[in-house]
């Protein structure tokens, strides 16, 4: 005889998984209709990259055109992790230099990467390692965070790959510009949002990003 228990077990086997479209959390979004307003919000009035400094940065971290060492490939990006500078090499034997913040402690990963993607007003999801390392800070965002001026990736992001593997390392804008010049991130290279907006327009996908060693790596190899 077929019992109620039989039907309960059978139904559980057939229908135990919820339908993803009705149960899954909504993916974080970036509303393009807000992009211009957000850009205006994070750009100082009468903005001049070389002089505008409402963030109170040391003047050396403001964008400057400098001479580039010969032999560097045009279009590439170099991060001097000791001085906290990012250089974008151009065709005139010069480079644009920006101030940056790099990762805390041993989270900074020197190496040569390829910029395979770049995004305006990106969404953000912390990695599993970040959540495990600092659950109080990151667990609440494990389903992702919508784009906007308070998003940790800020207004622009350049995505660093090794081959076809996304390293989850980024060069990105930061809603915490006062961190520039220090060590603050969980692996990425941070910039002032108004600064990376200018850099973003001039960086092409496919170029290399050279993340040079930080202080402790220099000491260890000397």
């Amino acid at each position: 005889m077929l019992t109620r228990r039989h039907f309960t077990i059978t139904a559980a086997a057939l229908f135990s998984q919820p339908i993803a479209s009705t149960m899954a959390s909504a993916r974080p979004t970036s509303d393009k209709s807000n992009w211009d307003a957000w850009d205006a919000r994070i750009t100082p009035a009468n903005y001049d990259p070389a002089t505008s400094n409402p963030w109170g940065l040391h003047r050396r971290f403001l964008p400057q055109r400098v001479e580039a060492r010969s032999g560097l490939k045009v279009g590439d990006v170099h991060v001097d992790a000791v001085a906290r500078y990012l250089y974008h090499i151009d065709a005139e034997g010069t480079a644009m230099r920006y101030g940056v913040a790099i990762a805390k402690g041993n989270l900074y990963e020197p190496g040569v990467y390829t910029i395979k993607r770049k995004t305006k007003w990106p969404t953000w999801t912390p990695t599993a390692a970040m959540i495990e390392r600092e659950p109080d800070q990151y667990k609440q965002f494990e389903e992702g965070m919508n784009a906007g001026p308070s998003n940790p990736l800020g207004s622009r992001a350049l995505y660093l790959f090794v081959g076809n593997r996304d390293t989850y390392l980024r060069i990105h804008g930061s809603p915490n510009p006062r961190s520039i010049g220090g060590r603050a991130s969980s692996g990425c290279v941070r910039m002032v949002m108004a600064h990376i907006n200018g850099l973003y327009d001039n960086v092409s996908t496919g170029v290399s990003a050279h993340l040079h060693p930080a202080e402790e790596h220099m000491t260890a190899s000397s």
Side-chain angles (χ1 to χ4, degrees):
M1 181 176 67
L2 298 179
T3 64
R4 178 180 178 184
R5 181 172 181 273
H6 168 85
F7 285 109
T8 301
I9 293 173
T10 302
L14 291 174
F15 303 109
S16 59
Q17 296 300 317
I19 298 173
S21 62
T22 59
M23 298 297 293
S25 299
R27 296 182 63 182
T29 61
S30 181
D31 186 348
K32 291 185 178 182
S33 67
N34 286 321
W35 286 6
D36 288 345
W38 289 340
D39 278 345
R41 179 173 165 184
I42 57 89
T43 304
N46 303 312
Y47 177 57
D48 179 344
T51 60
S52 296
N53 191 16
W55 314 284
L57 303 176
H58 191 288
R59 289 192 62 180
R60 74 183 183 94
F61 293 128
L62 298 179
Q64 298 182 46
R65 185 164 296 281
V66 298
E67 290 187 11
R69 192 176 70 237
S70 62
L72 297 179
K73 186 176 179 180
V74 172
D76 279 0
V77 169
H78 290 259
V79 174
D80 179 342
V82 177
R84 311 291 196 260
Y85 291 141
L86 179 149
Y87 297 88
H88 181 228
I89 312 301
D90 68 23
E92 303 299 325
T94 63
M96 280 301 299
R97 189 184 78 188
Y98 304 85
V100 299
I102 65 169
K104 298 174 285 189
N106 63 0
L107 298 178
Y108 179 75
E109 299 182 37
V112 181
Y113 304 90
T114 302
I115 298 173
K116 283 207 165 186
R117 178 186 170 201
K118 61 179 197 174
T119 304
K120 292 184 178 182
W121 291 105
T123 60
W124 171 75
T125 303
T127 65
M130 292 169 66
I131 294 171
E132 181 179 0
R133 192 166 53 241
E134 299 180 73
D136 291 346
Q137 181 173 353
Y138 295 120
K139 178 70 174 177
Q140 60 184 314
F141 301 117
E142 65 180 342
E143 299 299 331
M145 184 176 180
N146 291 340
S150 61
N151 185 291
L153 292 186
S155 57
R156 305 287 191 274
L158 308 176
Y159 294 70
L160 307 188
F161 283 69
V162 172
N164 291 320
R165 177 178 64 86
D166 186 355
T167 65
Y168 296 98
L169 299 177
R170 315 286 185 243
I171 298 170
H172 65 84
S174 174
N176 182 17
R178 292 183 182 275
S179 66
I180 301 305
R183 306 197 66 160
S185 74
S186 292
C188 299
V189 175
R190 293 181 177 183
M191 296 178 64
V192 171
M193 286 195 271
H195 296 173
I196 197 173
N197 284 10
L199 172 67
Y200 179 95
D201 291 337
N202 294 303
V203 170
S204 301
T205 56
V207 303
S208 295
H210 303 254
L211 273 55
H212 297 281
E215 302 93 312
E216 63 273 13
H217 294 89
M218 300 293 285
T219 300
S221 61
S222 61

